[in-house]
Amino acid sequence: MSIKSSFLYYVKLVFLWFKTRTLSIHQYDSRFWIIISATLFVGSSVSVVTGGLGSPTGLGTQSDIVIYFTANIMMFTLVTATFSFLLSLMYIPVPRFFMGSFLYTGYVTYFVLNTANLGLQFSIIVAISYTLIVLLIGLFLLFLANKKIRLHLKAIAIFVPACLLVLQLYWPFTSNPATVVFSEYGIDDIIPLDIDNPAQPGSYPVTYFTYGSGLDLHRDEFGQYADLISNSVDASNYIRTWKREREIFWGFDQTELPLNGRVWMPEGEGPFPLVLIVHGNHTMEYFSDEGYEYLGELLASRGFITISIDQNYLNYSNWTGSAQRNYEMRAWNLLQHILLIKEFHRIDDNPFFGKVDLNQIALMGHSRGGQAAAMAADYKAWFAEDESLQGLEEVKIQAVVGIAPTDRSIDNQFPSLNDTYYLVLHGAEDGDVNNFRGERQYNRTNFKPGSDRFKASLYIAGANHSQFNTDWGRSDMSLPGGLFLSRSNILSPEEQRQIAKVYIAAFLETALYGNDDYLSLFRDYRYGQLWLPSTQYLSRFENGMFVPVTEFDRNRNKDTFPNDIVVETEGFTTWKISAAEDRGGNRKNTDGVVLEWTKSGRYIIHLSDSFWEENVEDIPNSLVVSIANMERDILDEMEVEELPTKVMEVEVELVDGDTISLEDEVPITPNISTQYTIIQWFEDIFRDGKYSESSEPVFHTFEIPLETLDADLDPTNISKITFHFKNGPGKIMLDDIGFISF
């Protein structure tokens, strides 16, 4: 036999062997295993389609389902066939197609979860668990389909899992920690405001219209049906590259960004204050700007021209990432809208003509939009040399509202607000910006001494991130992550938006119209108890007439302060000045004094004549103090899950000279605890432990009106302030101790 013939012979043998092994792929895959494999195919399809809905193509939900399902058919077929063939080549006597199906389902589920940044450990555990559950479902269906098994056994097989499912849903360790409803404590001590509910529509009829480029590829309200055509703006000085896929989707690049807005305008002569709202960083393909219609309608009816700004083209996409210099661009774009409205205001036959009070402007933002609003108010820190923003000096930004805002360093600096009204709202169930970042901006907001302008914050038990926007649904994460977030203890969408309407409308009435009727609401939320849903609130307030007694930020010595103020303590195991930190251990841009006690303790401040003479011009109305409960630290130290639920009553004693003793009590409730995930065990591994801390020490301002203590009291004769802390163990941080006038 020649060499050529020998070669052909062996080639033929190899070919026949491969053919034999190929025909033997399903050698051990009986009908039983084929049905189980089909169940695994369904399970893998659910995983891929679910992950795909979190990475939309922009073609619509139905198209995305078809695309991702089809992709899974091809991947499932290719992978399982290849794996089965390899097992056949190795003569491994197992159900090969089933093994390929099982491993593929597990891996593709892990891939979907891990790609969504849910954490390596979490992704592995859930992928394995999910695949085993799908396998059990397949076995269960085969069990039910087996005609040889008696009917009563099948009924038992259905009943037992159903009971286990109900038990899982209602078992105590899967539910969120109970929340103390702080609004019910001391409610009788406050007479609620008997005035117009700010969340109710006002007297102005409202006209709705849009302005836009006229060329929008996805929404006609900014395209062919735009009521006003706006100019585009060139952002190429900031954005150097604009991905081709992003340009194809939107139809433009960074040199011609459109200015699109939804306008709710009160009907009347005006001029009216201007309020601009900007959304945050939701998925680019799911538009966000329509989600503030509930605020636009309300505010316009109360006399504010309100505009929700479209910045969706700056948002994140799983296909193209985010636009460059994302935070700066949001603020820059917001400022360009102000200039556009300024131009519209001067054009005859324009809906804005003569209607806008450019000296009364408020900027409002949600999430990244909340930081953009603060950056735009402090625009010279980033855009002082930008010639495209000329003309902003002719307008006045008077107020900023942050709704669950971010707070990142941009070019190594943060926005600072000076003599600008500031309000921040944040939910304790926020699964996106889960640290109270807006409290840092609160601490960077300052006023001239004697100013009646103020800053206020509200931390809300049960409120999450997304429900402030009606377009974002109830979950704070896109799929698949949103499936694992708990919704059992969050407020209803209507309740959460009711809180936003009450506070934002009242704030703008106060800041832009000078209506002081609502001022008490920001000093103590209980004044709005008739308007607000029943949940736990922590609020903070300060105005330019606040005179601090002890400024911890400027003092390293814990017992002596400027103006000859001396502090002494009794009974504390911890007494130190420390930086306030959020849930993640990040500084809150303020320092306070940390006090910890086992049974009781006293913090005593001795005032001096020089304090009153050199710092206090107007006779103060109230003593105020901000307190953050640090109970979670005690839990860690004692290695226990929770302390007995209690409200710590701190007695405050004021001594007028050496003769009069005046007392009042303030309640310090337990921390607002949050279980973010559907199973508490997930908290430490989901998203690499982002939710491992169930609570955050948040400051709450307590106000003690001096006139209610003693009608004959002369506040300038107060020589000593004593805080009596009882019913320990306890740990708190004190800040912003001082007197305030209204």
Side-chain angles (χ1 to χ4, degrees):
M1 182 181 296
S2 66
I3 295 176
K4 180 178 180 181
S5 299
S6 299
F7 175 76
L8 292 175
Y9 172 75
Y10 285 112
V11 168
K12 184 177 180 180
L13 286 179
V14 170
F15 175 79
L16 290 174
W17 181 74
F18 271 103
K19 180 179 179 181
T20 302
R21 300 321 306 157
T22 301
L23 295 175
S24 302
I25 284 177
H26 298 295
Q27 180 179 357
Y28 299 99
D29 284 297
S30 63
R31 178 177 175 274
F32 173 86
W33 293 115
I34 292 297
I35 293 175
I36 296 295
S37 298
T39 307
L40 289 167
F41 165 73
V42 173
S44 67
S45 296
V46 171
S47 294
V48 171
V49 171
T50 301
L53 292 177
S55 299
T57 63
L59 299 176
T61 300
Q62 292 182 345
S63 297
D64 285 347
I65 292 174
V66 172
I67 290 170
Y68 283 106
F69 181 74
T70 303
N72 186 62
I73 292 175
M74 294 187 292
M75 290 189 298
F76 182 89
T77 302
L78 177 62
V79 171
T80 53
T82 301
F83 187 78
S84 300
F85 180 63
L86 293 175
L87 291 178
S88 179
L89 292 180
M90 293 183 286
Y91 290 89
I92 297 178
V94 295
R96 294 159 186 156
F97 188 71
F98 160 74
M99 289 298 297
S101 304
F102 183 82
L103 294 175
Y104 170 81
T105 301
Y107 177 77
V108 79
T109 302
Y110 159 79
F111 178 81
V112 166
L113 297 173
N114 195 49
T115 303
N117 298 315
L118 302 187
L120 177 63
Q121 183 181 3
F122 176 85
S123 300
I124 292 173
I125 292 173
V126 172
I128 292 173
S129 302
Y130 175 77
T131 307
L132 291 174
I133 289 172
V134 173
L135 176 62
L136 289 174
I137 290 174
L139 293 173
F140 181 70
L141 293 176
L142 283 171
F143 175 83
L144 295 179
N146 192 327
K147 297 180 180 179
K148 296 181 180 180
I149 298 175
R150 295 182 179 180
L151 188 61
H152 73 277
L153 294 177
K154 294 180 181 180
I156 293 174
I158 294 173
F159 178 75
V160 172
C163 291
L164 292 175
L165 179 61
V166 171
L167 185 64
Q168 169 67 17
L169 292 175
Y170 294 98
W171 190 252
F173 69 76
T174 64
S175 61
N176 286 0
T179 297
V180 175
V181 181
F182 189 28
S183 58
E184 295 178 357
Y185 187 89
I187 212 75
D188 295 334
D189 300 333
I190 296 292
I191 299 175
L193 292 173
D194 186 19
I195 55 177
D196 178 31
N197 180 351
Q200 292 299 313
S203 59
Y204 290 95
V206 177
T207 298
Y208 171 76
F209 61 93
T210 63
Y211 61 82
S213 65
L215 302 173
D216 196 288
L217 297 179
H218 302 283
R219 286 166 300 168
D220 290 339
E221 59 267 39
F222 300 137
Q224 60 179 328
Y225 297 135
D227 298 285
L228 283 175
I229 300 300
S230 59
N231 58 289
S232 62
V233 290
D234 184 356
S236 57
N237 285 336
Y238 300 95
I239 302 176
R240 300 300 182 186
T241 59
W242 187 269
K243 290 188 177 181
R244 178 62 178 166
E245 298 87 347
R246 188 174 283 263
E247 182 178 352
I248 292 173
F249 182 84
W250 290 110
F252 54 82
D253 63 14
Q254 74 272 31
T255 64
E256 48 181 3
L257 301 184
L259 298 179
N260 301 331
R262 300 175 182 273
V263 183
W264 294 270
M265 181 174 287
E267 296 180 10
E269 292 185 6
F272 300 105
L274 175 64
V275 180
L276 293 95
I277 309 174
V278 59
H279 58 79
N281 188 39
H282 206 56
T283 305
M284 179 182 80
E285 294 84 359
Y286 293 143
F287 311 126
S288 304
D289 51 282
E290 194 175 2
Y292 307 107
E293 180 179 8
Y294 72 101
L295 287 174
E297 289 278 0
L298 171 67
L299 296 177
S301 74
R302 301 185 74 88
F304 302 93
I305 299 174
T306 308
I307 304 174
S308 178
I309 290 171
D310 165 33
Q311 291 187 352
N312 289 286
Y313 48 80
L314 298 175
N315 276 1
Y316 176 80
S317 169
N318 285 317
W319 305 102
T320 63
S322 295
Q324 287 181 323
R325 305 187 73 170
N326 197 259
Y327 288 85
E328 291 156 287
M329 280 296 88
R330 293 175 190 275
W332 182 84
N333 181 275
L334 184 54
L335 294 168
Q336 293 289 349
H337 278 268
I338 294 177
L339 293 175
L340 176 68
I341 302 306
K342 177 186 171 187
E343 180 182 341
F344 283 160
H345 172 67
R346 296 173 177 174
I347 299 175
D348 198 5
D349 295 329
N350 188 293
F352 288 98
F353 179 66
K355 293 291 185 70
V356 189
D357 187 346
L358 295 171
N359 289 316
Q360 296 290 341
I361 297 177
L363 305 180
M364 186 190 319
H366 185 185
S367 196
R368 291 194 186 189
Q371 181 170 348
M375 290 175 66
D378 187 26
Y379 69 92
K380 290 183 180 179
W382 289 273
F383 311 114
E385 306 300 323
D386 191 327
E387 295 183 358
S388 73
L389 297 176
Q390 288 183 356
L392 284 175
E393 64 279 358
E394 299 173 9
V395 305
K396 301 296 181 184
I397 299 171
Q398 304 286 7
V400 172
V401 179
I403 303 174
T406 59
D407 190 64
R408 291 188 58 180
S409 172
I410 307 299
D411 292 340
N412 297 316
Q413 56 186 339
F414 294 91
S416 294
L417 301 179
N418 296 297
D419 276 326
T420 303
Y421 289 96
Y422 183 66
L423 171 67
V424 59
L425 308 177
H426 198 102
E429 297 268 350
D430 193 319
D432 186 355
V433 186
N434 69 316
N435 294 301
F436 188 8
R437 297 295 175 84
E439 199 169 28
R440 304 199 301 196
Q441 182 61 63
Y442 177 97
N443 293 322
R444 293 196 306 272
T445 301
N446 301 290
F447 307 99
K448 294 177 182 177
S451 170
D452 61 357
R453 296 186 170 219
F454 66 87
K455 56 184 178 180
S457 73
L458 188 71
Y459 191 70
I460 310 159
N464 72 354
H465 192 80
S466 294
Q467 290 185 153
F468 287 116
N469 184 310
T470 61
D471 284 340
W472 288 2
R474 300 201 72 196
S475 177
D476 287 349
M477 291 185 66
S478 59
L479 293 173
L483 295 174
F484 302 97
L485 293 184
S486 173
R487 297 176 183 82
S488 60
N489 259 25
I490 65 174
L491 296 168
S492 70
E494 295 75 21
E495 288 175 321
Q496 186 164 328
R497 291 168 199 146
Q498 172 72 6
I499 297 169
K501 289 193 292 185
V502 166
Y503 266 84
I504 291 171
F507 176 74
L508 295 176
E509 290 261 3
T510 309
L512 300 186
Y513 274 122
N515 182 358
D516 290 337
D517 291 346
Y518 295 113
L519 184 61
S520 298
L521 173 68
F522 304 100
R523 292 162 51 190
D524 191 326
Y525 67 86
R526 290 176 295 177
Y527 283 106
Q529 61 188 266
L530 299 179
W531 310 326
L532 297 170
S534 180
T535 187
Q536 185 174 352
Y537 300 93
L538 297 174
S539 62
R540 205 171 175 191
F541 176 90
E542 185 181 311
N543 66 10
M545 291 181 283
F546 171 71
V547 179
V549 172
T550 53
E551 295 188 82
F552 302 109
D553 293 338
R554 301 177 178 87
N555 209 80
R556 292 293 90 192
N557 194 319
K558 63 184 181 180
D559 52 15
T560 59
F561 293 84
N563 300 303
D564 299 323
I565 292 176
V566 177
V567 171
E568 61 176 320
T569 64
E570 297 176 3
F572 294 113
T573 57
T574 299
W575 170 29
K576 65 180 180 180
I577 294 177
S578 179
E581 296 181 346
D582 63 20
R583 188 192 308 267
N586 308 297
R587 290 176 62 96
K588 290 191 176 187
N589 199 43
T590 189
D591 293 339
V593 60
V594 177
L595 303 172
E596 184 174 2
W597 65 100
T598 303
K599 294 184 178 180
S600 64
R602 294 200 304 161
Y603 187 79
I604 308 163
I605 304 172
H606 296 276
L607 303 180
S608 64
D609 291 338
S610 62
F611 166 76
W612 293 109
E613 293 170 359
E614 297 178 15
N615 296 277
V616 181
E617 296 182 3
D618 298 320
I619 296 178
N621 302 101
S622 300
L623 169 71
V624 295
V625 58
S626 291
I627 303 178
N629 192 335
M630 302 182 71
E631 180 183 87
R632 72 173 193 181
D633 293 353
I634 302 177
L635 300 180
D636 293 338
E637 293 164 6
M638 298 177 64
E639 297 183 350
V640 296
E641 291 293 330
E642 60 181 349
L643 294 174
T645 300
K646 62 183 178 181
V647 176
M648 293 185 293
E649 294 185 358
V650 180
E651 185 179 85
V652 181
E653 177 185 301
L654 305 180
V655 175
D656 179 355
D658 295 322
T659 57
I660 302 174
S661 179
L662 307 167
E663 296 181 359
D664 199 6
E665 293 180 345
V666 295
I668 306 175
T669 58
N671 292 129
I672 299 176
S673 294
T674 300
Q675 181 182 312
Y676 289 102
T677 56
I678 55 176
I679 299 176
Q680 192 169 6
W681 180 69
F682 283 168
E683 301 286 283
D684 291 336
I685 62 173
F686 187 69
R687 303 183 75 182
D688 294 325
K690 180 177 180 179
Y691 303 142
S692 57
E693 289 288 352
S694 64
S695 64
E696 176 174 343
V698 174
F699 284 106
H700 179 78
T701 298
F702 297 93
E703 177 187 340
I704 303 172
L706 300 179
E707 63 180 12
T708 64
L709 300 178
D710 192 311
D712 298 325
L713 172 69
D714 180 358
T716 60
N717 285 335
I718 294 175
S719 59
K720 186 167 68 172
I721 306 169
T722 303
F723 295 93
H724 298 268
F725 297 91
K726 304 176 181 179
N727 59 316
K731 185 175 183 179
I732 55 91
M733 177 178 280
L734 295 179
D735 195 13
D736 298 334
I737 304 172
F739 295 93
I740 197 167
S741 302
F742 299 102

